[in-house]
Amino acid sequence: MPIKKLLLCAIIFIIALGTGPGALAAGSGEIKLGVNDSVTDIRAVSVEYTFYVPVRELAEKLKLSLSGTPEDLSLAGGAGSLKILKEGKGIMEDGTEISLGTFTSGGKLMVPLKIVPLFGYSVSYKPDQHLLRITDGTQSLDDDAFAAKFKNELAPEEPAQPAPSPSPAVPDSSVPAPNSTKPGTQGKIVYLTFDDGPSATTGQLLDILEKHGAKATFFMLGPNIGRYPGQVKRMVKSEQGLGLHGITHMKSKFYASPPAALKEMNQDNADLGAVSGQSTKLIRTPYGSKPYFTKAFRDKVLGSGYRLWDWNVDSLDWKYGSAGDSIYNNVVSQVSKLDKCGVAPVILMHDQKTTLKVLPRILDYLQMKGYQYEIITSDLKPVNFWHDTR
């Protein structure tokens, strides 16, 4: 890569670290922090749309090791580590620098909850139920049951005096804010895509997306649309993106000829319309468009009005299966590289049971990095391996 390009990417990366949609609308005050199935005595302070907690108390509750000096602290857990510097910055395990906006209150160093996903935890925030909760997957109560059980303990209390403002204050991107992913908003964009569905577990996938305020585009197979019509209707109702992936998913049949490929996409679109009343121009060919979807194929299929999309981040979830750490690390590595050059990730995943286990971690990471989710639409410039923008 030319030196000028490297410098430009570096500049974009530094700017991007300080951007991202505001994630909380909690106002001022404090809220009790829940961890798994209990309410702790930690009070999270809301300052400039970000929740902060004392770092030592957080480390104790999450069983993280805390070492170093006040000017250079290190937090470490089984899933990751973070250096917290005196000037309000942090250094992630991969060397990425992030702004933390730390400050001291009552002699305690306050850190933003956006760091929690670095250690393998998820954060839930439901202001209407006064719920702010950290979970690691071992909890037995869902958020609604937790809020109902501890309703009295979670009731808010006004602080005796206004909390000090950190310098600088940054939005907490670990928890999604209402409308923070609405198209047209400012910030970094990521396109989540899922192939081969719908399936018996699509409902769980949509539950996870909904919990994180995330949107995705589903490239679906015609026969599966017919098997799981309810899942497709739910996609439409929740305003997810709809795409086509053909009928057979067999190289010998889909790529038999350009007319064969077009016939599969047309049939897929007809199946989608029969179930949902919707049609789409968005297609993803089986196994990706290269090398099989040659110019003759593209002229025939794209000439009929379809828009071809591949990806620039391959999760390899089909390969790693239940090895969630490998899938997560693979996505993080590729997204980080694109981030440095300001390129929006188009992430390939599959509508399968094993992907569900690692998806929350991936979403937490993307939110922490300041990404907002958008669906692919027919007016966008397609991302594909042939650079065919028709």
Side-chain angles (χ1 to χ4, degrees), residues 87-376:
E87 56 267 30
K89 297 179 180 179
I91 305 295
M92 295 169 58
E93 194 169 34
D94 63 0
T96 301
E97 182 178 291
I98 57 175
S99 177
L100 299 178
T102 54
F103 63 99
T104 300
S105 178
K108 298 179 179 180
L109 179 64
M110 309 292 286
V111 295
L113 278 182
K114 72 176 183 178
I115 68 173
V116 167
L118 291 174
F119 307 103
Y121 293 84
S122 298
V123 179
S124 300
Y125 176 59
K126 295 189 175 183
D128 57 324
Q129 296 174 309
H130 311 299
L131 180 143
L132 180 64
R133 184 189 187 199
I134 298 173
T135 55
D136 62 6
T138 64
Q139 71 277 8
S140 60
L141 300 173
D142 63 23
D143 286 340
D144 290 336
F146 181 89
K149 180 176 180 179
F150 298 107
K151 181 178 180 180
N152 294 332
E153 293 181 57
L154 296 175
E157 296 180 15
E158 292 298 322
Q161 58 184 19
S165 295
S167 180
V170 294
D172 181 349
S173 53
S174 65
V175 188
N179 301 321
S180 66
T181 60
K182 184 179 291 185
T185 56
Q186 299 298 314
K188 299 186 295 183
I189 296 171
V190 61
Y191 299 98
L192 306 173
T193 68
F194 293 90
D195 285 8
D196 297 351
S199 71
T201 56
T202 302
Q204 296 175 56
L205 196 162
L206 292 171
D207 288 342
I208 294 171
L209 293 176
E210 181 179 330
K211 180 178 179 180
H212 287 78
K215 297 291 185 181
T217 302
F218 291 81
F219 289 94
M220 296 176 284
L221 293 166
N224 289 347
I225 291 174
R227 292 189 188 100
Y228 303 100
Q231 309 286 34
V232 180
K233 292 176 182 178
R234 183 177 171 187
M235 290 177 196
V236 174
K237 186 176 181 179
S238 59
E239 299 182 336
Q240 305 292 340
L242 307 176
L244 309 174
H245 200 39
I247 299 295
T248 64
H249 209 290
M250 296 176 61
K251 293 178 186 177
S252 60
K253 292 187 177 182
F254 183 89
Y255 295 106
S257 67
L262 178 60
K263 181 179 179 180
E264 285 208 17
M265 290 304 181
N266 284 340
Q267 181 60 56
D268 198 1
N269 219 358
D271 293 340
L272 176 63
V275 166
S276 68
Q278 306 286 318
S279 64
T280 181
K281 297 178 180 179
L282 306 177
I283 66 169
R284 174 173 287 161
T285 60
Y287 309 103
S289 67
K290 235 175 188 182
Y292 308 107
F293 206 58
T294 59
K295 187 176 185 299
F297 281 87
R298 299 198 307 278
D299 287 346
K300 183 69 174 180
V301 178
L302 304 188
S304 298
Y306 288 113
R307 307 275 278 174
L308 175 65
W309 281 78
D310 286 307
W311 56 86
N312 55 25
V313 174
D314 189 348
S315 70
L316 295 180
D317 56 351
W318 59 270
K319 176 181 179 181
Y320 292 124
S322 59
D325 287 345
S326 296
I327 298 170
Y328 175 81
N329 292 333
N330 192 43
V331 170
V332 168
S333 174
Q334 294 176 68
V335 169
S336 179
K337 291 176 182 178
L338 295 177
D339 189 18
K340 293 178 181 179
C341 286
V343 177
V346 180
I347 303 176
L348 168 65
M349 292 178 280
H350 291 80
D351 188 342
Q352 60 185 24
K353 187 175 181 179
T354 53
T355 301
L356 298 179
K357 297 179 181 179
V358 70
L359 182 58
R361 287 179 62 193
I362 292 173
L363 298 181
D364 286 338
Y365 169 80
L366 293 171
Q367 290 171 329
M368 181 196 67
K369 295 292 289 184
Y371 282 100
Q372 54 186 321
Y373 309 98
E374 291 192 10
I375 64 171
I376 296 173

